[in-house]
Amino acid sequence: MAVAGCPDYFLHHPNYQDNVDRAPKHRSTDLMETNFRHSSNQNSPNHQEDDVDLEALVNDMNSSFESLSSPCSVVVDPAPPPHNGQLYRTLQSISPGHRVRRSQPVHIMAVRRLQEAEQQLRTSSLPAIPNPFPELCSPAGSPVLTPGSLPQCQLSGNNIIKVFSEDGTGKAVEIPADMTARDLCQLLVYKSHCVDDNSWTLVEHHPLLGLDRCLEDHELVLQVHASMTSESKFLFRKNYAKYEFFRNPSNFFPEHMVAWCQDTNCSIPPSQLLQNFLNSSCYPEIQGFLYLKEVGRKSWKKLYVFLRRSGMYFSTKGTSKEPRHLQLLADLEDNNIFTVITGKKLHNAPTDFEFCIKPNKVRNDMKESRMLCAEDEQSRTCWMTAFRLLKYGILLYENYRVPQQRKTLLSHFSAPVRSVSENSLVAMDFSGRIGRVIDNPVEAQSAAMEEGHTWRKRSQRMNILGSPSPLHSSSLSTVIHRTQLWFHGRITREESHRMVIQQGQVDGLFLLRDSQSNPKAFVLTLCHHQKIKHFQILPCEDDGQIFFSLDDGATKFTDLIQLVEFYQLNKGVLPCKLKHPCTVVAL
């Protein structure tokens, strides 16, 4: 057999094969066996006190492996391991004078811990590279961890917070860490004995900054409470416009503010408009002029603004949409949108329709907040609604559908079951000895009116002071309305405006109050098309009895409760029916 790289005389040597079988490939094995023999015989009389030196053993093994890689590479067939006799002779061939010194125990770090330490050192040494184009990617796909995307501190156990109502009364509530705003509202409704019509909301109120924001139903209360200051507080309030855009989207998104309508010169169906906002693959855009307060100054500048999924931008050159002319104004992920309460007083706003985009990490400092002002209430509502839709998307629709599904589910169990149909009911006359069915509809109507007048006359005699006179100021017809939730007594015109705006400017939102100009009259405050209108209710006398009328006596009512019930069913002289009472509940 020819071996490359070896002299010819070595190949023809008679003991070549034996040398090959016993040679350097078993040298390392022999050394390990020798060390094993030394360690096993450490209790013999000839054994010294020194133990095996691990470091010397490793060095000796390395030198043994280096000797195998010599210039003369020998290729041999694998040979069987030596028998026990050969192992004993090999161990005996080691010089007994060769002894190694005893070593101290060495702590060997695990490979996994070494890799983790090396990775940590490499990561800490690398500089953090920010995203140079935050406006070109969505917040979820941004490679930079923003403060809002970092995990919040984990709150555990029950915590006590205080919730206030509109009249200033407060209630301390103990809530768990995972309670959402919807759950807390339902708890307060149950404790305050209110009617749960899914319009109650929790408001984040900052009195020093003059900001208000309705919490979304899925937000954790304690997480929001941890980011608030000591002066801030939660308010328990009605908000009928919270999900009104799902029912009437055309009232919230005018065509001149939707970019799609401007580009295609056509109107969008309401269902398609909402699908564009809820679908993450679509790219809706709201555009229009807004007043922007300059940072560090009291002046305002009118700019053309665009609201997209990636954020809010303004154009540095007119109404141009070219990317080189757009500048990022605010991001949707790490900001919340607030309504400014006292814009003209605190910020010298050009109009009354101001809103603010405030970062989540900012508490009292308004330098990083963006103060914006719209031309009218419809524009402000459009900007704020689009901001919520683009930020939360389909999650808002799920929040809207949960009460609807729950109401549908409960209606199958709690709906009263009648044995007969309501259409089969007929008018009856029980004035005689036996009852008879009234077939004539005119007679039935007159009987119903006569019964109503009889009931009214009977109720008028049951006044507080026992006076039978209907003109007495303390009669039941003049004071019974004060027990209703929609009546707010002697409040000013400005206070009624504030209450309507806070509880959502939807069609049919109303309240009644005492008139400031006429002490005997009342005023109906009604919202229609996001505009607040006032109608005076005047008293009139007919046949010695006091009535109330909205149309100069054409339609008369014995008290304000009857008037409200009538206009809840009939529009009459009003622009719309009375739908939502403006309510204030004391906790």
Side-chain angles (χ1 to χ4, degrees):
M1 160 170 112
V3 181
C6 293
D8 295 339
Y9 71 90
F10 185 80
L11 296 177
H12 293 85
H13 196 275
N15 297 329
Y16 166 71
Q17 188 65 33
D18 296 336
N19 295 334
V20 170
D21 293 339
R22 292 185 303 233
K25 71 170 185 175
H26 297 298
R27 184 175 179 181
S28 61
T29 308
D30 295 342
L31 289 174
M32 289 186 289
E33 292 168 351
T34 304
N35 295 330
F36 174 77
R37 175 64 177 273
H38 279 280
S39 62
S40 62
N41 296 336
Q42 61 182 352
N43 298 327
S44 61
N46 300 330
H47 179 47
Q48 299 179 4
E49 294 297 328
D50 296 338
D51 198 355
V52 180
D53 192 348
L54 293 177
E55 185 176 0
L57 176 60
V58 173
N59 295 335
D60 197 356
M61 292 178 62
N62 293 336
S63 61
S64 302
F65 285 114
E66 290 175 359
S67 64
L68 291 177
S69 58
S70 60
C72 179
S73 302
V74 181
V75 181
V76 294
D77 297 331
H83 299 287
N84 295 336
Q86 295 177 355
L87 175 60
Y88 179 77
R89 289 193 300 271
T90 305
L91 295 176
Q92 291 294 331
S93 63
I94 304 283
S95 172
H98 178 70
R99 294 289 186 269
V100 291
R101 299 185 60 184
R102 184 172 190 159
S103 65
Q104 297 296 329
V106 179
H107 177 70
I108 302 176
M109 185 179 291
V111 178
R112 183 176 180 181
R113 294 180 59 186
L114 285 172
Q115 292 178 352
E116 291 177 356
E118 182 181 358
Q119 181 68 21
Q120 184 178 2
L121 180 62
R122 185 184 300 114
T123 306
S124 61
S125 61
L126 292 177
I129 302 176
N131 182 14
F133 304 104
E135 68 277 4
L136 299 182
C137 59
S138 61
S142 178
V144 179
L145 284 178
T146 57
S149 61
L150 294 176
Q152 301 289 338
C153 57
Q154 297 295 331
L155 300 174
S156 59
N158 292 346
N159 296 265
I160 297 178
I161 64 172
K162 199 167 185 180
V163 184
F164 295 85
S165 61
E166 294 290 342
D167 58 355
T169 59
K171 176 179 292 187
V173 185
E174 184 180 3
I175 62 174
D178 59 346
M179 176 170 278
T180 61
R182 181 198 296 274
D183 298 334
L184 181 55
C185 288
Q186 291 182 345
L187 178 63
L188 294 175
V189 165
Y190 172 76
K191 290 189 173 184
S192 303
H193 307 286
C194 306
V195 178
D196 188 9
D197 54 357
N198 300 316
S199 60
W200 293 100
T201 185
L202 201 65
V203 179
E204 178 185 354
H205 177 62
H206 300 272
L208 296 182
L209 304 179
L211 302 179
D212 274 353
R213 179 181 77 93
C214 293
L215 270 67
E216 303 296 343
D217 288 340
H218 63 272
E219 290 190 76
L220 298 179
V221 178
L222 290 182
Q223 184 175 338
V224 178
H225 185 263
S227 63
M228 297 169 58
T229 60
S230 58
E231 295 82 6
S232 304
K233 56 185 178 181
F234 286 125
L235 300 178
F236 184 56
R237 176 189 296 168
K238 284 268 190 179
N239 185 12
Y240 294 101
K242 193 170 186 178
Y243 299 116
E244 185 66 19
F245 54 87
F246 284 117
R247 306 180 186 96
N248 301 307
S250 57
N251 296 339
F252 287 79
F253 301 101
E255 295 184 358
H256 68 275
M257 295 185 64
V258 181
W260 191 4
C261 297
Q262 296 295 318
D263 297 339
T264 58
N265 295 326
C266 62
S267 60
I268 307 176
S271 59
Q272 183 64 31
L273 179 63
L274 288 178
Q275 289 179 4
N276 293 339
F277 282 103
L278 299 177
N279 190 1
S280 59
S281 60
C282 296
Y283 304 96
E285 183 177 294
I286 301 297
Q287 60 186 10
F289 284 98
L290 286 175
Y291 293 97
L292 173 64
K293 185 180 180 182
E294 300 184 67
V295 180
R297 300 182 180 179
K298 295 184 179 180
S299 59
W300 294 75
K301 189 175 181 180
K302 193 173 183 179
L303 298 172
Y304 201 69
V305 184
F306 306 92
L307 181 60
R308 302 172 178 174
R309 291 192 186 276
S310 57
M312 180 176 283
Y313 305 83
F314 69 90
S315 178
T316 58
K317 189 175 181 180
T319 60
S320 175
K321 291 185 179 182
E322 297 185 15
R324 60 192 179 96
H325 294 151
L326 297 183
Q327 185 172 345
L328 181 65
L329 185 64
D331 192 4
L332 275 67
E333 181 69 18
D334 301 326
N335 295 274
N336 285 319
I337 193 163
F338 289 79
T339 302
V340 182
I341 305 174
T342 55
K344 282 192 173 182
K345 183 177 180 181
L346 293 179
H347 311 289
N348 195 23
T351 66
D352 294 327
F353 314 105
E354 187 182 2
F355 61 97
C356 172
I357 299 178
K358 176 177 168 294
N360 299 332
K361 60 181 180 180
V362 175
R363 292 193 176 186
N364 285 331
D365 192 6
M366 295 293 293
K367 294 181 180 179
E368 299 185 23
S369 301
R370 295 293 187 176
M371 308 299 296
L372 301 165
C373 199
E375 295 284 354
D376 51 20
E377 181 60 38
Q378 187 180 26
S379 300
R380 178 172 70 171
T381 305
C382 179
W383 287 107
M384 298 183 68
T385 306
F387 189 97
R388 294 173 55 206
L389 278 171
L390 292 176
K391 180 177 181 179
Y392 297 107
I394 194 65
L395 191 57
L396 281 186
Y397 185 72
E398 294 176 357
N399 294 340
Y400 164 69
R401 290 295 299 170
V402 166
Q404 306 295 330
Q405 295 174 356
R406 186 181 304 172
K407 183 178 179 181
T408 304
L409 182 62
L410 293 177
S411 63
H412 296 290
F413 301 96
S414 61
V417 180
R418 301 183 62 92
S419 58
V420 294
S421 174
E422 292 184 356
N423 297 329
S424 61
L425 300 179
V426 295
M428 297 288 295
D429 180 17
F430 297 98
S431 58
R433 297 181 59 182
I434 58 174
R436 68 179 182 89
V437 178
I438 302 177
D439 297 328
N440 189 357
V442 178
E443 183 184 0
Q445 185 177 4
S446 61
M449 294 181 62
E450 183 180 357
E451 184 179 358
H453 285 299
T454 304
W455 181 86
R456 295 291 177 182
K457 291 179 180 179
R458 189 185 305 115
S459 63
Q460 289 174 1
R461 292 193 297 267
M462 299 172 58
N463 52 69
I464 296 177
L465 299 180
S467 174
S469 175
L471 299 178
H472 198 277
S473 60
S474 60
S475 63
L476 183 62
S477 61
T478 58
V479 297
I480 192 174
H481 55 268
R482 299 187 180 276
T483 62
Q484 303 301 309
L485 296 177
W486 38 257
F487 187 79
H488 296 274
R490 299 189 63 82
I491 62 174
T492 62
R493 187 185 186 97
E494 291 74 18
E495 290 176 341
S496 64
H497 274 247
R498 179 184 56 84
M499 294 180 62
V500 171
I501 293 175
Q502 288 178 350
Q503 299 194 15
Q505 296 177 258
V506 298
D507 291 350
L509 180 62
F510 73 98
L511 63 88
L512 267 72
R513 57 186 176 88
D514 291 324
S515 175
Q516 292 179 319
S517 58
N518 188 353
K520 295 183 179 180
F522 302 93
V523 177
L524 170 65
T525 302
L526 177 65
C527 181
H528 179 64
H529 288 173
Q530 298 182 343
K531 294 182 180 180
I532 302 176
K533 302 179 180 181
H534 304 272
F535 302 89
Q536 197 169 37
I537 303 174
L538 297 175
C540 58
E541 184 177 355
D542 185 11
D543 194 16
Q545 185 177 354
I546 297 296
F547 295 94
F548 299 96
S549 176
L550 270 173
D551 50 6
D552 296 331
T555 308
K556 295 176 290 186
F557 306 95
T558 57
D559 53 39
L560 296 182
I561 296 180
Q562 187 182 23
L563 182 145
V564 170
E565 291 177 351
F566 175 82
Y567 286 107
Q568 285 179 335
L569 301 176
N570 308 276
K571 184 174 67 172
V573 296
L574 300 177
C576 63
K577 299 179 183 179
L578 306 182
K579 297 180 181 179
H580 310 292
C582 198
T583 307
V584 174
V585 176
L587 293 176

